[in-house]
Amino acid sequence: MKITVLFMLVTLGASVFAQKKVDYSAEWARELDNYSDGMDVLEEMKRHDLSSFWLSGTQSQNGVYGDDYWRIEFHLSEIEQDNADLLSYRVKGKDSHKNVITPFEGTIHITQSLRYSKPHEMNDSVYPLRIIAVYEFTEDNASKYSG
C-alpha cells in the first residue's frame, strides 16, 4: 500500500494492560482540541490497509500505564485488517514490562481520521493525517504483571 500522506498516530486510546486501568482520554481530548483544523477522512481509511504502517519491524513502541506511569514496550509482530470491518485490525505481538516479556493479541479499531488543512512543514506536497484508534490487547493471565 502506498499513500502520499504522512500518517501521524497520536494515540491508541486507553490501555487494558494494567491491572488498574487509568483513563487518560480527557487529557487527550483537551490536547487534540489544539489540532482540530482537519477534514474528516474516516471513510477514506477503509480503502487503505494500514497493517504495514503499524508493524514494528525492528522497532518497538513505548508507553506508560498506571498511576505510577510504569513503562511498557510493545512489539507488534502480526497485523491483519478485518475484512468484515475495514477500520479494525487483528494484532499479535509481545510487550515488555519490568523485564518480563509477555505475548498478547487483540484488536485496533480506527475511530477518527482527519487530514490537516495545512501541508507538512518539511514537505509542502504532503498533508498529514491524525488517526485516532482504540485498542484492546489480551495477555496470558498466568504471566507476571499481566492484565
Side-chain angles (χ1 to χ4, degrees), residues 32-82:
L32 294 176
D33 283 342
N34 296 329
Y35 302 97
S36 60
D37 70 338
M39 176 178 68
D40 185 354
V41 291
L42 187 62
E43 285 301 310
E44 184 179 325
M45 290 295 98
K46 292 180 180 179
R47 296 194 308 264
H48 303 286
D49 183 350
L50 302 181
S51 299
S52 62
F53 170 69
W54 276 311
L55 277 175
S56 295
T58 60
Q59 303 295 316
S60 294
Q61 293 83 25
N62 289 291
V64 295
Y65 70 91
D67 290 334
D68 295 328
Y69 303 101
W70 295 337
R71 181 174 177 224
I72 189 167
E73 189 174 8
F74 301 97
H75 181 82
L76 305 176
S77 57
E78 297 178 39
I79 302 178
E80 181 179 276
Q81 189 174 32
D82 185 336

Side-chain angles (χ1 to χ4, degrees), residues 7 11-12 25-26 29 50 52 76 78 104 107 112 122 139:
F7 288 101
T11 184
L12 289 176
S25 58
L50 302 181
S52 62
L76 305 176
E78 297 178 39
F104 65 83
T107 59
Q112 184 181 39
M122 298 178 77
E139 299 175 308

Side-chain angles (χ1 to χ4, degrees), residues 11-147:
T11 184
L12 289 176
S15 173
V16 294
F17 279 109
Q19 284 100 1
K20 180 180 178 187
K21 290 184 186 179
V22 179
D23 185 355
Y24 297 106
S25 58
E27 290 86 350
W28 273 111
R30 281 193 301 275
E31 182 64 26
L32 294 176
D33 283 342
N34 296 329
Y35 302 97
S36 60
D37 70 338
M39 176 178 68
D40 185 354
V41 291
L42 187 62
E43 285 301 310
E44 184 179 325
M45 290 295 98
K46 292 180 180 179
R47 296 194 308 264
H48 303 286
D49 183 350
L50 302 181
S51 299
S52 62
F53 170 69
W54 276 311
L55 277 175
S56 295
T58 60
Q59 303 295 316
S60 294
Q61 293 83 25
N62 289 291
V64 295
Y65 70 91
D67 290 334
D68 295 328
Y69 303 101
W70 295 337
R71 181 174 177 224
I72 189 167
E73 189 174 8
F74 301 97
H75 181 82
L76 305 176
S77 57
E78 297 178 39
I79 302 178
E80 181 179 276
Q81 189 174 32
D82 185 336
N83 291 328
D85 179 358
L86 297 175
L87 294 173
S88 292
Y89 295 81
R90 290 181 294 280
V91 178
K92 290 185 180 181
K94 295 180 180 180
D95 65 68
S96 176
H97 173 65
K98 295 185 178 182
N99 296 319
V100 175
I101 297 173
T102 307
F104 65 83
E105 57 183 58
T107 59
I108 297 173
H109 180 76
I110 299 172
T111 59
Q112 184 181 39
S113 182
L114 299 173
R115 178 175 289 119
Y116 287 98
S117 59
K118 296 178 183 174
H120 190 271
E121 61 191 37
M122 298 178 77
N123 184 343
D124 62 6
S125 66
V126 174
Y127 288 78
L129 294 178
R130 175 180 69 195
I131 297 172
I132 309 279
V134 294
Y135 68 85
E136 184 172 336
F137 297 159
T138 304
E139 299 175 308
D140 177 1
N141 288 337
S143 179
K144 188 175 183 180
Y145 307 120
S146 70

